[in-house]
Amino acid sequence: MIYAIGDIHGQFDMLRRAHDRIAEDQRRYGLEDASVIHLGDLTDRGPDSRGVVQHLIDGIAGGAKWVVIKGNHDRFFANFIGTGTVTDNRLRAGVSWLHPRMGGPDTLASYGVEKKLLESVSTLRARAIKAVPEAHVAFLDGLPLYHETGELLFVHAGIVPGVPLDKQHEDDLVWIRDGFLEDDIVHPWLIVHGHTALDQPGHFGNRINLDGGAGYGRPLAAAVFEGRDCFLLTEKGRVKMEQPVV
């Protein structure tokens, strides 16, 4: 058995409720030793990215069996603090991490750094460096890009179909959509991912997308896996995710 949580996007209250649902399921089924995989995008858009990051750091330090995977938004945040980078070669031209749609300003605000009108990137970064704990940046920088266990592969965005796991490029693991989402190839694993926000989590046969749109105010998904079977955890208990009928 293993648990997973979709893209969090600064929704600290939702994260705590997701952990509560998992803890209740663990008690009910005697699974207290089961790991919990977080699929990345801890930060941006929601109101409390700082709370999310600190909660995960504290939980892991306290012995929680939590695995946290790096998402593209986590990389954006760490890169901004580390190098001042606000763009990415996978991002549409004219949009940066500091654009409200991307959510960078929301993350900085959670650390007490409000973006000022006409403020230069370098000045904003200088203020952010003083406000963001080094431990938070180190945590985000050090996150793994995937977690493989048995028949399951947990990754933020997806993979390039047919490419061995050790040959996958980081940009694809945190960004890919085209070439992955529409491909119905049978992978060596059932791939569990986020990154592409849906109205609700979806099972697509060869992959499961757990990004139910928490970054846009929709519920944060938590799920439990028994082999390749996936059950969403709701306030009323488990609900099995069914494969599409072909």
Side-chain angles (χ1 to χ4, degrees):
M1 297 282 193
I2 193 166
Y3 295 87
I5 293 176
D7 300 33
I8 301 164
H9 281 297
Q11 300 287 0
F12 185 26
D13 288 341
M14 291 188 192
L15 176 60
R16 287 188 290 192
R17 291 197 294 272
H19 280 155
D20 287 344
R21 293 198 301 276
I22 288 173
E24 173 59 29
D25 191 84
Q26 289 175 319
R27 288 190 293 268
R28 181 176 299 174
Y29 294 95
L31 300 172
E32 286 83 355
D33 289 334
S35 297
V36 181
I37 314 300
H38 303 76
L39 291 172
D41 278 3
L42 317 180
T43 65
D44 298 347
R45 298 192 177 123
D48 196 0
S49 292
R50 178 175 188 151
V52 168
V53 174
Q54 189 63 56
H55 178 68
L56 293 171
I57 290 174
D58 290 343
I60 292 170
K65 296 186 70 174
W66 294 349
V67 176
V68 183
I69 293 168
K70 183 183 293 187
N72 59 310
H73 284 266
D74 310 315
R75 190 172 74 167
F76 261 131
F77 180 29
N79 283 350
F80 175 72
I81 300 298
T83 66
T85 303
V86 296
T87 59
D88 189 287
N89 59 9
R90 296 291 182 97
L91 195 60
R92 190 172 70 245
V95 178
S96 83
W97 180 71
L98 294 175
H99 191 284
R101 177 181 173 186
M102 293 300 294
D106 298 305
T107 294
L108 294 177
S110 75
Y111 289 88
V113 181
E114 297 287 346
K115 186 176 182 296
K116 299 176 181 178
L117 187 65
L118 302 181
E119 182 178 27
S120 70
V121 171
S122 60
T123 300
L124 178 62
R125 178 183 173 232
R127 293 198 294 120
I129 288 172
K130 293 180 180 179
V132 177
E134 292 182 5
H136 285 207
V137 180
F139 176 73
L140 296 174
D141 269 334
L143 295 178
L145 294 169
Y146 59 84
H147 180 79
E148 180 185 10
T149 177
E151 298 180 278
L152 303 174
L153 177 67
F154 298 89
V155 60
H156 176 63
I159 64 170
V160 177
V163 175
L165 195 52
D166 61 355
K167 301 297 184 183
Q168 296 282 335
H169 194 282
E170 176 174 327
D171 285 353
D172 291 312
L173 297 173
V174 302
W175 270 108
I176 195 169
R177 289 192 177 97
D178 294 343
F180 169 67
L181 296 179
E182 70 274 18
D183 199 313
D184 60 2
I185 187 174
V186 177
H187 303 290
W189 330 262
L190 175 65
I191 297 179
V192 184
H193 68 96
H195 183 58
T196 300
L198 306 175
D199 289 337
Q200 58 187 12
H203 196 318
F204 299 90
N206 62 349
R207 62 182 179 87
I208 288 177
N209 183 351
L210 287 183
D211 185 356
Y216 302 100
R218 297 192 288 275
L220 176 61
V224 60
F225 291 83
E226 296 181 355
R228 286 176 174 253
D229 289 334
C230 178
F231 301 83
L232 288 176
L233 302 182
T234 73
E235 300 300 333
K236 296 182 179 179
R238 295 184 177 190
V239 175
K240 188 173 183 181
M241 294 188 71
E242 300 291 350
Q243 296 189 37
V245 177
V246 179

